[in-house]
Amino acid sequence: NHTRNKRGFTLIEMMVAVLITSLLGSILMAIYVQTQRSVSRINETIDLDFADSIIYNQMEKDISGIFVPQLFVDDRSSESKKAQPGQPKQPQGQPAKSGQEPKPKKKLERVKNALVSMGSSGNLSSLSFITNNPMQVYGQSKPRMVRVEYALEPDKGDSKMFSLVRRQSLEFELEKFKSSEPRPYTLATNVKKMSVEFFAAKEEKKDKKKEQKKGGKAEPNKEKKGDQEKDDKKEEKKAPELISLTEWNDEVSKNNKEINPDFLPLYIKIELVLQLTNDSDRDATRTYTFYYHIYAYESGVVVQPEPPKPPEPPKPPKPPGGGKGGPPKPPRTGKTRPAPSGPPRPPTGGRRV
């Protein structure tokens, strides 16, 4: 009887308990999955930021040292004839004899395509330039000038992704650089897109009115002169107007009339898009924007050195006698009056007898 009077759970109570337990389990499972996803994304973000810092530091060292080297070359005219094979060479330090070809003069020329970008549809494929701040290679002496290339190559694991590769070589010319096939260094993987933008200084037009005022004969007062100097200083400190370009090479800089063809861009903007690989969302990306300043942007201006002036012949020594011909003059002495002749004169103021 005692067992018959003991009450148990009804079917409704059991159903409610199972429902509550399933709800709590699903909530806990969702929290766990979200936590794992967040931890994975945080770890990948940290890895991307670490890779981003490596890319930024390396690019900053390379791009900040971009310049246009100038080399001495032989100034041979197209009409000059080549020396005959049987003709003896002219020894150094002696003038060229009649019938022999004179030695060619040396002149400065800038290296062509010191900064070149290549790409299509807004995606950069290659950025090549000459820098004086190359990467140090262990076990090798550090060169002072190299050509560096940053290129995007298709990723082996995913055909839609790219790998950012860096190369450097001692060959300055672009064709020789490509033929040398320098060793690549991979800086980043899972690169979805990379674009570059160049900011060049707009060439200022000279004001003819100011030049005419400066070239006038009338001299300004001190107060006006001081105000004019202050205005000139303000004009010098004024930042130049920048022009945006998506491509850069020697032809682009020469054909653009708004910029100086001998100048490099002042700033370079690089936008790098990296994809999060461990995320279930394949479109999850992070965009990094870098700005770099080129300090030697005026290095492309070629100034030919002046030829050395011949030494002046020594002046002949001055002849004695004050620079005039003839025998030397006797030295000057004090003049003395001759003694008076005849009887002595009486003292002044006395009476004659």
Side-chain angles (χ1 to χ4, degrees):
N1 294 331
H2 180 70
T3 56
R4 290 181 181 177
N5 295 331
K6 189 176 179 180
R7 299 183 60 185
F9 294 103
T10 62
L11 180 60
I12 297 175
E13 292 175 346
M14 291 293 294
M15 292 177 65
V16 170
V18 171
L19 180 61
I20 294 174
T21 304
S22 61
L23 288 175
L24 292 175
S26 61
I27 292 172
L28 292 175
M29 184 60 66
I31 293 173
Y32 175 77
V33 172
Q34 188 66 27
T35 303
Q36 292 293 328
R37 185 179 298 175
S38 301
V39 169
S40 176
R41 178 171 292 185
I42 290 171
N43 291 334
E44 190 166 8
T45 302
I46 293 173
D47 295 339
L48 288 179
D49 291 340
F50 182 72
D52 163 63
S53 62
I54 294 176
I55 297 170
Y56 176 80
N57 292 332
Q58 187 60 48
M59 282 189 170
E60 184 183 20
K61 292 178 181 178
D62 293 335
I63 295 177
S64 61
I66 293 177
F67 77 111
V68 182
Q70 300 178 10
L71 305 176
F72 279 102
V73 297
D74 293 342
D75 188 9
R76 296 180 181 271
S77 61
S78 58
E79 298 178 358
S80 62
K81 299 180 181 179
K82 296 183 179 180
Q84 298 178 1
Q87 188 176 3
K89 294 184 178 180
Q90 180 72 20
Q92 295 182 358
Q94 296 184 7
K97 297 180 181 179
S98 59
Q100 292 184 0
E101 183 185 3
K103 289 185 178 181
K105 297 181 180 180
K106 298 288 185 179
K107 70 172 183 178
L108 278 176
E109 282 190 0
R110 53 180 289 172
V111 177
K112 297 180 180 179
N113 291 323
L115 175 61
V116 180
S117 67
M118 291 178 284
S120 60
S121 65
N123 198 11
L124 180 70
S125 61
S126 174
L127 178 65
S128 179
F129 51 85
I130 299 175
T131 180
N132 57 9
N133 193 15
M135 184 174 63
Q136 178 64 47
V137 180
Y138 180 75
Q140 298 180 8
S141 60
K142 183 177 182 180
R144 298 314 309 165
M145 294 185 297
V146 295
R147 178 175 281 276
V148 176
E149 181 189 25
Y150 286 92
L152 289 181
E153 297 182 352
D155 197 348
K156 296 180 180 179
D158 191 350
S159 59
K160 297 182 180 180
M161 295 292 106
F162 300 93
S163 297
L164 180 60
V165 176
R166 181 189 183 277
R167 295 182 177 90
Q168 85 174 27
S169 174
L170 296 176
E171 298 291 344
F172 290 165
E173 297 183 7
L174 190 60
E175 295 179 357
K176 292 184 178 179
F177 174 83
K178 293 180 179 179
S179 61
S180 63
E181 296 181 358
R183 178 183 176 184
Y185 295 91
T186 303
L187 294 178
T189 56
N190 301 322
V191 179
K192 191 172 184 180
K193 184 180 179 182
M194 183 178 178
S195 60
V196 64
E197 189 175 0
F198 304 94
F199 296 96
K202 187 176 181 180
E203 189 174 10
E204 297 181 358
K205 296 181 180 179
K206 296 182 180 180
D207 195 351
K208 296 182 179 180
K209 294 183 179 179
K210 291 184 179 180
E211 291 181 356
Q212 291 176 0
K213 289 181 180 179
K214 290 182 180 179
K217 296 182 179 180
E219 295 182 358
N221 298 331
K222 291 183 178 180
E223 295 180 358
K224 293 182 178 179
K225 192 174 181 180
D227 296 338
Q228 186 177 0
E229 290 179 356
K230 290 180 181 178
D231 295 339
D232 293 341
K233 289 182 179 179
K234 288 181 180 179
E235 290 179 359
E236 290 178 359
K237 294 180 180 179
K238 186 179 178 182
E241 185 179 353
L242 300 180
I243 299 176
S244 175
L245 300 171
T246 58
E247 186 181 3
W248 190 274
N249 52 48
D250 287 352
E251 294 182 0
V252 172
S253 59
K254 288 180 182 178
N255 295 333
N256 196 327
K257 298 180 180 180
E258 295 182 345
I259 62 176
N260 192 326
D262 295 329
F263 285 4
L264 291 172
L266 275 172
Y267 301 95
I268 294 181
K269 174 188 174 183
I270 294 179
E271 187 173 342
L272 188 65
V273 181
L274 301 179
Q275 186 171 5
L276 301 174
T277 56
N278 295 332
D279 202 323
S280 59
D281 186 5
R282 296 294 296 174
D283 295 332
T285 57
R286 286 182 66 88
T287 303
Y288 299 92
T289 304
F290 309 137
Y291 287 90
Y292 302 104
H293 177 48
I294 299 178
Y295 296 96
Y297 67 96
E298 296 181 349
S299 60
V301 180
V302 179
V303 179
Q304 298 294 340
E306 297 181 358
K309 296 181 180 179
E312 296 182 357
K315 296 181 179 179
K318 293 183 178 180
K324 297 179 181 180
K329 294 182 179 181
R332 288 187 175 184
T333 58
K335 293 182 179 181
T336 56
R337 293 182 179 181
S341 59
R345 292 181 181 181
T348 58
R351 295 179 62 185
R352 293 186 179 183
V353 180

